[in-house]
Amino acid sequence: MRTPSHEETPGELTRTEPKDWAAGVPAVRKALEYSLSETTPRRTALTLLTMNQVTGIDCPGCAWPDPAPGKRHVNEYCENGAKHINDEATSKRVTREFFAQHSVSDLAQRSDQWLNDQGRLTEPMLKRAGSDHYEPVAWREAIGLLADELRSLDSPDEATFYTSGRVSNEAAFLLQLFARAYGTNNLPDCSNMCHESSGAALHETLGTGKGTVTLLDLQHADLVLLVGQNPGSNHPRQLSALEETKLNGGRIVAINPLPEAGLKRFKNPQKPRGVVGRGVDIADRFLQVRIGGDLALFRALNRLLLEAEDAAPGTVLDRDFIDTSTSGFEAFSDHVRSTDWDQVLTDTGLTRAEIEGLRDEVLASDRVVVCWAMGLTQHRHAVPTIREIVNFLMLRGNLGKPGSGACPVRGHSNVQGDRTMGIWEKMPDGFLDAIQQEFGFDPPRHHGVDAVKAIHAMHDGDVKVFLGMAGNFVSAAPDTAYTEEAMRRCRLTAHVSTKLNRSHVVTGEAALILPTLGRTEVDVQDGGPQFVTVENSMSVVHQSRGKLEPSSRLLLSEVAILCRLARATLGPDTTVPWDTFEADYGAIRDRISRIVPGFGDFNARVAEPGGFALPNPVNEGFFLTETGTAQFSVNTGEAPHAPPGHLVLQTLRSHDQWNTIPYTDDDRYRGIHGSRRIVMVNADDLTELGLAEGDLVDVVSVWGDGVERRAPGFRLVPYPTPRGCAAAYYPETNVLVPLDHVDETSGQPASKSITVRFERV
Ligand SMILES: Nc1nc2c(c(=O)[nH]1)N[C@H]1C(S)=C(S)[C@@H](COP(=O)(O)OP(=O)(O)OC[C@H]3O[C@@H](n4cnc5c(=O)[nH]c(N)nc54)[C@H](O)[C@@H]3O)O[C@H]1N2
Ligand SMILES: Nc1nc2c(c(=O)[nH]1)N[C@H]1C(S)=C(S)[C@@H](COP(=O)(O)OP(=O)(O)OC[C@H]3O[C@@H](n4cnc5c(=O)[nH]c(N)nc54)[C@H](O)[C@@H]3O)O[C@H]1N2
Ligand code: SF4
Ligand SMILES: [Mo]
């Protein structure tokens, strides 16, 4: 089972007051400090000054969009974007000597933070079956070995291909093309653990899995609801957009169990008033909802809106929109009218007056945007919750009109683009037909596995070869012990990566590390210098062009690795021109333009400054649902309530990490320093549980399968979270998330609502 890491120690915790504002001068200082500690001033200048500029490097951080070309600042980035880009641009290197010195079992004792800190990977490495060391291997041999394993499988479905959302459109398109030419739809991705629930809910109700809002819509909304997201840490430039919303007279309501700093006040470091002034207040109202209480909240809000219409007919609902563009209103309205107030107050932890206050904000606003992220998607009732938000938007016609709409805020910089390119285990037939027509092979039609199903399949021996295209699957996935065992049961695990992480050291019998160019680096192929493209959270597709010398002469681009792997696996009969693709990424984009809707004339349009926006059918009045209309839905599901002596735990990000990779042990805005092995708990719950600040406990999760899941050695921190609710960092607590604790429709792990108890150590 899992190798316990000797780094599972709580560290020296110190506390300061949680901050009530985000960004400002400290953010700029922290960004520069981190950048200069990783690399030289010259490389820092090259990355930071070209970041998010029209001919520059797209920030490898989150998917927040850039302003229009003429409206960008010289420094168009945030503290965390600067940290992410310089984490890649680091001058530190992992060499063959490093691997000679450290056995795989030694490295498996180290944390992801330590592994990441060793620097950039520099050459392909192979761990042979039976060996405890990685050794250098030539590219040809490494790729040949992976191809041989793939060819030796009884069925293509015995392999699985994982993608993380940093992968470019070009590489993602090639990965799915290769997997399908090889014969499988086993294409799990980080999205399965991220916004899968948003995609599922929006597809069902609106006929598109994407958000409907542009940056201008957000800035011109009368009201923005920020539900279940922490923009101050995870999408910091969203605060610049929200500052505009406020300056335009819009109002903001934050709905979150935690009073996050960025929801309160923002000091824009790009503006004089943000440097010397008190900044701009972000949320006009804060609803401190219980974990998982959002479904009850929106149901209650919708009931209040229906009642307001009853009291003043013709003034509240957008009858025209409801009658002409939607179906299912009657069933929805009957259901919502029966919402039980006592249950709502128990589930949300809010007062009726607070919810009525929200109703009044809504009634005073013609144009409403709802933004959300992991606080909504990582729940057992994530899909019903997001569907209920769509109901809410439809009631007042807040879809398809300027200044309004649904805004799922994406995580990884190209997670949305990867899906557009076909990274999905169940792409619709239309897409597969287009592949067949263009390339002349028959892509498999039966669905593949998502992330959770892939783990089961590896555990059961049904999947034997795992290839990860970026990411850190072992640490990102739920149920760490089970997932690690699943990986260890594979014959071969291989990863295309920039930096070392836990997935390289919890391996199958044999393992490969295939080091690749990052987005910051110059990419020259036979056809000359190349750029790649990405799609941001608001469906704008644009270029990203590397600027730095590659970290090592032995790195290949993701595209090159995939083309060589495809040639080696599929042999000479392949109908796909892999050589041409490797030499010239424009040739890949030509094919994408013929296969993926919205990408016509791709090369020409992406050459325009700032790129182009993909059409959104909802904003053009089309709903690609079965009925051709937007769909009201009836949503049920019990909010999570822990039994006596237990709490509901959410697992979330600190300010100073990128997903599975912590940069330091500090969480500046929450005033937690020196340790990540902490649990934030309401002070009254601590007292009731007979525990005190600073107590050391094991966190044990409760799930009906008889397996004990334990995260050892956490310190308790009193924190203003609602009663019954706790919070701790991911990935340290992923060990607590039961693999089958998922939303029923999306299959997404419910890592924000785990029932736990504490055992004092
Ligand atoms: N610096 C930095 N930036 C990042 C990332 C990173 O790791 N570091 N990761 C990127 C990725 S891949 C993603 S997906 C995004 C994630 O961005 P977020 O979704 O903001 O990330 P989380 O830290 O998971 O925070 C979830 C927020 O939801 C709240 N929440 C939890 N449960 C509930 C609930 O039941 N209801 C409500 N209303 N709120 C709830 C939490 O209190 C927290 O504020 O960030 C992206 N950007
Ligand atoms: N409990 C819990 N679990 C969660 C979450 C949570 O909130 N709670 N959040 C989930 C979410 S939203 C997500 S998105 C996933 C994240 O899951 P992943 O996307 O799998 O994880 P990351 O930590 O982003 O991956 C980091 C690794 O990516 C590699 N990498 C970075 N840049 C590049 C590149 O340009 N090319 C290549 N080839 N490799 C690169 C580096 O080797 C680095 O170590 O985790 C999920 N898991
Ligand atoms: S908001 Fe996101 S995309 Fe923008 S600079 Fe920060 S991390 Fe990068
Ligand atoms: Mo994510």
Side-chain angles (χ1 to χ4, degrees):
M1 291 300 275
R2 179 155 190 269
T3 322
S5 156
H6 62 62
E7 306 212 0
E8 283 175 357
T9 52
E12 277 302 314
L13 171 68
T14 55
R15 295 287 315 281
T16 50
E17 271 301 301
K19 291 263 179 298
D20 59 6
W21 54 273
V25 175
V28 177
R29 199 180 60 233
K30 289 283 171 195
L32 283 176
E33 270 171 21
Y34 186 79
S35 303
L36 293 171
S37 73
E38 287 296 311
T39 187
T40 60
R42 196 184 77 86
R43 283 167 76 87
T44 297
L46 262 177
T47 50
L48 295 188
L49 289 179
T50 66
M51 187 165 173
N52 295 328
Q53 300 301 333
V54 169
T55 58
I57 308 167
D58 177 58
C59 174
C62 76
W64 191 254
D66 308 310
K71 303 225 162 124
R72 297 185 193 175
H73 296 94
V74 178
N75 293 305
E76 191 59 57
Y77 56 83
C78 71
E79 168 191 353
N80 284 331
K83 285 191 287 195
H84 306 323
I85 204 166
N86 283 303
D87 189 64
E88 178 179 302
T90 180
S91 299
K92 300 177 195 160
R93 298 288 177 271
V94 175
T95 58
R96 55 172 72 185
E97 290 75 28
F98 171 89
F99 285 109
Q101 199 184 340
H102 297 280
S103 66
V104 177
S105 34
D106 165 19
L107 295 175
Q109 301 273 309
R110 309 287 183 160
S111 68
D112 271 305
Q113 185 175 336
W114 188 91
L115 294 169
N116 178 66
D117 227 23
Q118 305 312 304
R120 286 289 297 275
L121 295 160
T122 49
E123 63 179 315
M125 301 298 295
L126 165 66
K127 187 198 92 67
R128 293 182 196 276
S131 167
D132 194 26
H133 272 274
Y134 273 104
E135 58 192 83
V137 60
W139 272 110
R140 183 182 289 275
E141 194 189 332
I143 285 176
L145 210 136
L146 177 51
D148 287 347
E149 280 292 350
L150 290 173
R151 278 206 310 261
S152 74
L153 296 176
D154 289 337
S155 147
D157 287 334
E158 290 183 352
T160 192
F161 302 93
Y162 173 70
T163 317
S164 159
R166 196 172 279 188
V167 172
S168 66
N169 285 334
E170 289 74 7
F173 181 79
L174 291 191
L175 179 65
Q176 63 81 31
L177 188 63
F178 165 58
R180 293 187 166 117
Y182 168 69
T184 184
N185 283 313
N186 284 350
L187 289 159
D189 65 352
C190 69
S191 206
N192 298 149
M193 302 176 270
C194 187
H195 266 293
E196 200 62 55
S197 303
S198 307
L202 294 175
H203 251 293
E204 237 178 273
T205 53
L206 301 179
T208 168
K210 297 183 185 180
T212 68
V213 167
T214 65
L215 216 41
L216 281 180
D217 288 327
L218 190 68
Q219 290 165 350
H220 292 99
D222 297 324
L223 176 67
V224 177
L225 306 186
L226 298 178
V227 198
Q229 64 157 146
N230 178 20
S233 292
N234 298 323
H235 302 91
R237 282 189 309 147
Q238 186 178 0
L239 295 181
S240 316
L242 293 170
E243 181 183 33
E244 294 295 322
T245 313
K246 296 303 296 271
L247 297 175
N248 290 335
R251 288 176 66 81
I252 295 177
V253 175
I255 301 171
N256 198 305
L258 300 180
E260 309 282 27
L263 301 174
K264 293 183 172 169
R265 198 148 37 94
F266 173 51
K267 296 190 187 186
N268 189 339
Q270 285 150 344
K271 296 195 176 160
R273 67 172 169 272
V275 175
V276 292
R278 79 178 286 282
V280 170
D281 290 323
I282 294 292
D284 298 284
R285 234 176 241 270
F286 173 52
L287 299 191
Q288 191 165 23
V289 70
R290 291 189 75 254
I291 290 176
D294 307 270
L295 174 54
L297 171 61
F298 278 90
R299 219 157 41 193
L301 179 61
N302 287 341
R303 174 178 170 167
L304 288 173
L305 292 174
L306 292 176
E307 289 170 355
E309 171 78 7
D310 295 343
T315 63
V316 174
L317 304 187
D318 186 339
R319 280 286 8 158
D320 192 35
F321 179 79
I322 295 171
D323 293 343
T324 57
S325 302
T326 74
S327 336
F329 176 78
E330 293 306 326
F332 150 77
S333 119
D334 289 349
H335 180 252
V336 153
R337 283 178 189 280
S338 68
T339 301
D340 175 48
W341 269 107
D342 288 339
Q343 194 65 45
V344 167
L345 302 187
T346 315
D347 289 351
T348 59
L350 301 170
T351 62
R352 184 158 175 162
E354 284 176 297
I355 302 175
E356 287 172 349
L358 175 58
R359 172 204 57 198
D360 295 342
E361 295 277 356
V362 172
L363 290 176
S365 310
D366 279 338
R367 301 179 299 261
V368 181
V369 168
V370 184
C371 298
W372 72 88
M374 299 304 100
L376 289 193
T377 63
Q378 298 178 336
H379 283 292
R380 268 180 95 70
H381 302 296
V383 172
T385 303
I386 298 164
R387 282 195 307 236
E388 196 62 32
I389 287 178
V390 175
N391 287 340
F392 161 72
L393 288 169
M394 292 195 298
L395 279 180
R396 286 171 58 79
N398 278 308
L399 277 169
K401 89 181 163 195
S404 75
C407 183
V409 181
R410 305 278 164 181
H412 268 294
S413 54
N414 197 39
V415 64
Q416 186 162 314
D418 291 346
R419 187 54 66 84
T420 310
M421 291 298 123
I423 300 289
W424 199 20
E425 74 280 0
K426 45 186 182 198
M427 278 309 274
D429 278 339
F431 182 90
L432 301 176
D433 292 343
I435 295 257
Q436 185 169 29
Q437 206 167 6
E438 182 68 27
F439 293 106
F441 69 83
D442 291 334
R445 300 287 168 154
H446 60 280
H447 291 171
V449 291
D450 62 10
V452 165
K453 287 182 186 148
I455 295 165
H456 277 303
M458 290 189 280
H459 207 274
D460 295 347
D462 296 333
V463 161
K464 302 183 170 76
V465 175
F466 175 99
L467 173 65
M469 202 56 204
N472 181 6
F473 187 73
V474 164
S475 296
D479 226 341
T480 313
Y482 190 91
T483 296
E484 293 194 347
E485 178 59 21
M487 292 296 270
R488 292 192 197 283
R489 289 184 185 183
C490 286
R491 241 163 41 202
L492 174 67
T493 50
H495 290 88
V496 177
S497 311
T498 50
K499 298 195 78 180
L500 196 60
N501 62 45
R502 193 160 175 84
S503 301
H504 304 121
V505 297
V506 176
T507 70
E509 277 172 57
L512 279 167
I513 297 176
L514 306 172
T516 188
L517 290 175
R519 210 179 269 178
T520 52
E521 289 160 316
V522 174
D523 180 354
V524 182
Q525 304 293 340
D526 286 351
Q530 306 295 321
F531 64 86
V532 293
T533 62
V534 292
E535 174 185 340
N536 66 34
S537 197
M538 293 178 178
S539 306
V540 174
V541 180
H542 62 90
Q543 300 188 14
S544 176
R545 217 178 260 274
K547 301 289 173 193
L548 300 180
E549 274 295 293
S551 305
S552 148
R553 280 185 305 110
L554 292 174
L555 300 184
L556 290 182
S557 73
E558 290 165 347
V559 165
I561 295 170
L562 286 167
C563 289
R564 292 178 192 195
L565 175 63
R567 276 197 314 260
T569 311
L570 305 173
D573 296 339
T574 174
T575 55
V576 179
W578 300 105
D579 289 325
T580 315
F581 287 169
E582 181 175 342
D584 173 14
Y585 302 178
I588 309 172
R589 287 187 289 272
D590 277 341
R591 300 305 187 106
I592 293 172
S593 72
R594 298 212 281 273
I595 290 174
V596 185
F599 281 77
D601 225 1
F602 189 5
N603 274 307
R605 285 199 294 157
V606 85
E608 295 294 322
F612 60 97
L614 292 171
N616 188 303
V618 170
N619 291 339
E620 284 156 36
F622 297 110
F623 299 96
L624 306 174
T625 54
E626 272 173 27
T627 54
T629 55
Q631 204 62 46
F632 275 99
S633 53
V634 169
N635 299 303
T636 53
E638 278 173 37
H641 291 283
H646 295 70
L647 300 173
V648 179
L649 176 78
Q650 60 153 320
T651 60
L652 81 180
R653 290 154 176 79
S654 78
H655 185 64
D656 215 10
Q657 75 183 78
W658 176 262
N659 291 338
T660 63
I661 315 287
Y663 294 149
T664 69
D665 287 336
D666 300 333
D667 192 0
R668 195 167 86 245
Y669 291 158
R670 297 194 185 106
I672 290 163
H673 310 271
S675 176
R676 292 176 49 87
R677 295 188 82 79
I678 58 102
V679 193
M680 293 169 249
V681 186
N682 182 293
D684 294 335
D685 281 328
L686 276 187
T687 310
E688 195 174 293
L689 293 168
L691 294 162
E693 172 164 12
D695 280 356
L696 191 63
V697 297
D698 285 356
V699 188
V700 179
S701 74
V702 180
W703 176 253
D705 62 357
V707 176
E708 185 185 89
R709 295 178 177 82
R710 179 180 293 265
F714 279 68
R715 295 233 180 258
L716 298 176
V717 169
Y719 202 85
T721 174
R723 289 297 304 269
C725 300
Y729 301 122
Y730 127 83
E732 288 84 347
T733 46
N734 285 37
V735 64
L736 299 171
V737 187
L739 188 58
D740 294 319
H741 182 49
V742 296
D743 175 279
E744 206 172 280
T745 311
S746 66
Q748 176 167 352
S751 46
K752 294 268 191 283
S753 50
I754 312 158
T755 303
V756 297
R757 65 166 189 274
F758 301 135
E759 288 182 9
R760 213 194 297 255
V761 289

